[in-house]
Amino acid sequence: MSCFASIPIHPLTTRIRRFCTIVGGVISPLLANIALDGMERLFGAETPAGSLIPPAKRKHPNTGISLIRYADDFVVTAPTREVLETYVQPRITTFLEERGLRLSKAKTRVAPITEGLNFLGFQIRRFKRTLLTTPQKEKVHKHLRSIKAYLDTHQQEPAGKIVHDRNPVIRGWANYYRHCAAKQTCNKVRHRQWQMLWRWAKRRQPNKGSRWVKGRYFRNDGSWTFADGNAELVKPTSAPITRYVKVSGRNSPYDPKLRAYWQERTKRQIARQTYSQVRMDLLYRYGYRCGMCRLPFGTDDSIDEDHIVPRHAGGSDPSENKRPVHRWCHHQHHQRRGYKVLKA
């Protein structure tokens, strides 16, 4: 019977805490990665060239053992509980002691794979012969409670304000879980989101009928979409379920020989984050580069669509008169022209 062991380490020792004014601050993951580098290779996970060796093909006694780490939180899988307790845990304990760290017994948990575990907001569990990674129920409920709390405290806000404030939160939540089996969960969240918005709209217009409320706050585009003019609320189901592609071997973004590899990977990531077909066509036409500075786009860059011939000068709105640009390039361009766009 395969087992999981969720083994977060004890908060970093006082030697490292001296550099962290707040435990859990932005510097803590960096220090944890520095201190724990090499833990993934404890159980024969890589070849000398850096290629991954599947757990089933590792040499005894590492056969079937796998370790996944994120900062100071990690999960170990092994064929049996005995392997975890007599082989894996002693090796990890020794590894940590050499760095002045220790395991947190209160947070260390050993569980069968059929019972599963929660890790980084995901639930990992095997159902019969299928292993599924789904959004953690507690995190889903927390997300829904945040939407409800926001609507309860913004009962008199205009619909456009609701769309503006909640879109980044909903889009970020959906993007975080789009790499797992989240389709069913996203459908449920979308339904609950609609129910809360409907109650908000009815409470805001108590003297109006349901048909009027629907026509005022919802767009009938095959489903009831909360909208205000051209602005509409993001649906949790709008983020397509895509499988995350791991970085090959020890490929580093700082290696100049691998520039082509990282550029192609960045293009795929940007494409997964782009929902508009017009935006996709523009990116493809310009080779995923800014139409002004010609530098390639990064995955975290804000991308605008600039009119080559401005509309006030008679320019048209079709894509032939548009180009993808960095938000800051767009801002500087229009500052020189003397009229404003969105702030960078």
Side-chain angles (χ1 to χ4, degrees):
M1 178 181 63
S2 298
C3 293
F4 276 114
S6 176
I7 314 178
I9 65 168
H10 190 274
L12 299 181
T13 57
T14 54
R15 286 184 297 170
I16 296 181
R17 281 187 186 177
R18 281 199 291 258
F19 299 97
C20 292
T21 55
I22 301 177
V23 176
V26 294
I27 198 173
S28 291
L30 172 62
L31 294 176
N33 282 329
I34 294 173
L36 301 179
D37 182 54
M39 179 181 288
E40 301 87 345
R41 298 184 288 274
L42 278 178
F43 305 102
E46 294 181 358
T47 65
S51 300
L52 178 67
I53 302 176
K57 296 183 179 180
R58 296 174 189 173
K59 297 180 179 180
H60 186 76
N62 296 322
T63 306
I65 299 175
S66 181
L67 187 147
I68 304 95
R69 181 178 66 85
Y70 183 86
D72 63 346
D73 200 2
F74 56 92
V75 171
V76 181
T77 62
T80 64
R81 180 184 294 267
E82 289 73 23
V83 172
L84 282 171
E85 295 176 348
T86 61
Y87 178 67
V88 173
Q89 193 162 337
R91 290 204 66 183
I92 293 176
T93 301
T94 302
F95 177 87
L96 295 175
E97 288 177 349
E98 293 172 351
R99 290 154 178 79
L101 304 172
R102 56 190 173 89
L103 288 173
S104 173
K105 294 183 179 180
K107 296 181 179 180
T108 300
R109 175 172 173 261
V110 179
I113 195 172
T114 52
E115 180 181 331
L117 80 158
N118 297 324
F119 184 62
L120 303 178
F122 297 88
Q123 183 187 60
I124 306 169
R125 185 179 177 185
R126 190 176 71 187
F127 299 87
K128 296 183 179 180
R129 299 185 64 85
T130 303
L131 180 67
L132 290 180
T133 302
T134 57
Q136 184 180 339
K137 290 183 179 179
E138 292 79 6
K139 300 298 183 181
V140 175
H141 294 161
K142 181 179 179 181
H143 174 66
L144 292 173
R145 285 195 298 269
S146 71
I147 296 177
K148 183 178 185 303
Y150 176 87
L151 295 176
D152 288 344
T153 55
H154 294 77
Q155 297 180 16
Q156 301 304 318
E157 294 286 356
K161 174 70 172 175
I162 303 296
V163 172
H164 179 270
D165 289 351
R166 301 318 297 172
N167 266 357
V169 177
I170 297 171
R171 186 181 293 113
W173 185 89
N175 284 337
Y176 184 76
Y177 287 112
R178 67 179 177 174
H179 298 303
C180 70
K183 183 176 181 179
Q184 185 177 2
T185 301
C186 287
N187 285 331
K188 291 181 179 178
V189 170
R190 177 181 173 180
H191 178 66
R192 287 289 296 118
Q193 180 177 295
W194 174 84
Q195 287 179 321
M196 289 185 283
L197 289 167
W198 178 254
R199 282 198 294 267
W200 177 88
K202 291 286 287 183
R203 184 171 52 199
R204 184 178 172 84
Q205 304 289 346
N207 298 324
K208 299 292 185 179
S210 297
R211 184 175 296 180
W212 188 96
V213 172
K214 176 187 175 183
R216 170 63 180 83
Y217 292 105
F218 295 89
R219 180 181 301 155
N220 191 359
D221 53 359
S223 61
W224 289 18
T225 301
F226 187 81
D228 183 36
N230 293 327
E232 63 179 39
L233 195 69
V234 172
K235 306 180 186 69
T237 53
S238 61
I241 303 300
T242 56
R243 294 295 172 252
Y244 180 78
V245 180
K246 294 184 67 176
V247 175
S248 299
R250 298 177 184 173
N251 290 354
S252 170
Y254 302 106
D255 188 347
K257 298 179 182 178
L258 300 174
R259 184 171 300 169
Y261 169 83
W262 287 102
Q263 287 179 348
E264 288 300 318
R265 184 178 175 87
T266 300
K267 289 179 182 179
R268 290 195 298 267
Q269 288 179 305
I270 294 175
R272 286 197 298 265
Q273 297 171 5
T274 303
Y275 304 106
S276 169
Q277 187 59 45
V278 174
R279 176 71 60 83
M280 280 297 303
D281 294 340
L282 290 175
L283 290 170
Y284 181 78
R285 190 193 313 163
Y286 281 82
Y288 290 82
R289 290 178 176 271
C290 176
M292 292 182 180
C293 68
R294 303 305 302 168
L295 291 176
F297 290 112
T299 54
D300 297 327
D301 290 345
S302 298
I303 303 175
D304 287 345
E305 296 173 12
D306 175 62
H307 289 79
I308 301 173
V309 179
R311 282 177 292 184
H312 70 82
S316 58
D317 200 48
S319 60
E320 290 74 14
N321 189 42
K322 293 181 180 179
R323 56 184 173 179
V325 295
H326 289 111
R327 175 71 57 81
W328 50 85
C329 291
H330 201 195
H331 185 61
Q332 291 177 352
H333 174 71
H334 285 296
Q335 276 189 325
R336 291 192 295 268
R337 292 290 187 91
Y339 54 96
K340 297 180 180 179
V341 294
L342 292 174
K343 293 184 178 180

